[in-house]
Amino acid sequence: MKYRRLGSTEVSAIGLGAMPLSIEHRPDEDRALATVHAALDAGVTLIDTADSYYWHAGERGHNELLVARALSRYGGDTSDVLVATKGGRGRSGDGGWTVNGAPAHLKAAAEASLKRLGGEAIGLYQLHKPDPEVPWAESVGALRELFDAGTIRFAGISNVTTDQIREAHAILGDALVSVQNQYSPAVRDLEPTLELSTRLGLAFLPWSPLGGISRSALDGPSGAISAGTAFHRIAAERGVSVQRVVLAWLLSLSPAVIPIPGASRPASIQDSAGAVELSVEGALRG
């Protein structure tokens, strides 16, 4: 495994997006735990979760609890694993998603996440999505309070614009270490946020990084999948999966990029982890 900078620490250049292990069409627990363990065996030290990654009403924190169980049952050393969770979203019980960026909610959610995950502080706590009903500075200010109180080790923001990154950076300073936005072969309109993150020294965690090539856990069965792209051509030439080529391409865009592909099977994350050994510079443009 290779590593990249996240704040004052380093994590694996490929992380594990744990969401598919808890939402709709999730695997049974044995396979879910095996998937996390396969990631750890492959050298993955960044696991991304959220309190809103659950399926049914009343399951808040399902994914956080699952990740905590997987780490506690792993036979090896997990002291260098950084768990990144998020607060500010929820599930409506009918498949929909809600948003709540009120400071009181975020602080209570972080405390609940810490209790589920265990330990003295949350490794990386991310504001899941801006709430249009709450001033951005107030939501970010809650992260500042959590950081100052020692509840969280690092702060991150997700689904944000360049202006929101700048404002959050002004409020949080060095406490802000990451931006998690959607970015993939099919979704590249947020490239300015990647460029700004790189300039500010923030890690950029693209969610749904295989979009357009492989279905996201958020896509329905009719989600569009591309075929015959340059990614497919390189994959055929190199004898590797197209998913691995896409992740290698993302890694080549900036040293700030740390993809967090989702996985619901051990083989998926094992394949994704291999992207760190694949060079596609010069083979793919744009």
Side-chain angles (χ1 to χ4, degrees):
M1 179 53 67
K2 296 181 181 178
Y3 299 87
R4 293 198 163 181
R5 177 65 54 181
L6 191 150
S8 59
T9 191
E10 287 188 334
V11 296
S12 55
I14 297 289
L16 169 65
M19 181 177 72
L21 303 177
S22 290
I23 66 166
E24 290 82 341
H25 314 297
R26 64 194 183 202
D28 62 39
E29 179 157 318
D30 286 345
R31 197 175 92 186
L33 295 176
T35 300
V36 177
H37 291 170
L40 299 173
D41 289 343
V44 171
T45 62
L46 174 65
I47 300 177
D48 181 79
T49 180
D51 65 354
S52 58
Y53 291 166
Y54 57 94
W55 187 351
H56 307 292
E59 287 189 326
R60 180 175 290 275
H62 182 281
N63 198 242
E64 293 174 324
L65 290 169
L66 178 67
V67 168
R69 282 196 299 277
L71 291 173
S72 68
R73 297 179 189 180
Y74 185 63
D77 181 16
T78 60
S79 60
D80 61 343
V81 175
L82 189 146
V83 177
T85 192
K86 295 179 285 293
R89 300 208 74 180
R91 305 299 305 275
S92 57
D94 59 0
W97 295 74
T98 60
V99 60
N100 185 346
H105 170 78
L106 292 173
K107 288 184 281 188
E111 293 288 354
S113 290
L114 177 57
K115 183 176 295 186
R116 286 187 287 264
L117 291 170
E120 297 181 357
I122 295 172
L124 170 60
Y125 194 68
Q126 304 159 99
L127 180 53
H128 206 153
K129 186 177 184 179
D131 185 343
E133 302 300 320
V134 179
W136 178 238
E138 292 184 12
S139 296
V140 175
L143 297 188
R144 178 83 242 182
E145 291 183 38
L146 288 165
F147 176 79
D148 290 341
T151 306
I152 66 176
R153 182 180 173 195
F154 298 121
I157 51 178
S158 182
N159 298 299
V160 289
T161 66
T162 52
D163 285 345
Q164 288 167 334
I165 294 172
R166 292 189 184 95
E167 187 172 0
H169 190 253
I171 294 169
L172 291 165
D174 291 342
L176 180 65
V177 301
S178 67
V179 171
Q180 185 175 149
N181 275 354
Q182 187 174 18
Y183 196 92
S184 69
V187 180
R188 306 190 197 182
D189 56 324
L190 292 179
E191 187 167 353
T193 64
L194 166 57
E195 295 172 349
L196 178 59
S197 298
T198 301
R199 290 199 302 272
L200 293 176
L202 306 175
F204 186 86
L205 316 179
W207 64 264
S208 195
L210 303 176
I213 299 297
S214 175
R215 284 194 187 93
S216 163
L218 292 173
D219 292 336
S222 60
I225 297 178
S226 300
T229 67
F231 298 101
H232 291 83
R233 174 179 58 79
I234 296 300
E237 291 175 356
R238 306 285 181 87
V240 298
S241 71
V242 65
Q243 290 87 349
R244 190 179 296 193
V245 174
V246 171
L247 294 173
W249 166 71
L250 286 166
L251 289 171
S252 73
L253 296 179
S254 164
V257 172
I258 305 173
I260 46 172
S264 60
R265 297 180 297 115
S268 297
I269 188 58
Q270 289 169 337
D271 181 61
S272 293
V276 299
E277 302 297 337
L278 182 65
S279 174
V280 296
E281 292 188 42
L284 290 163
R285 299 293 183 184

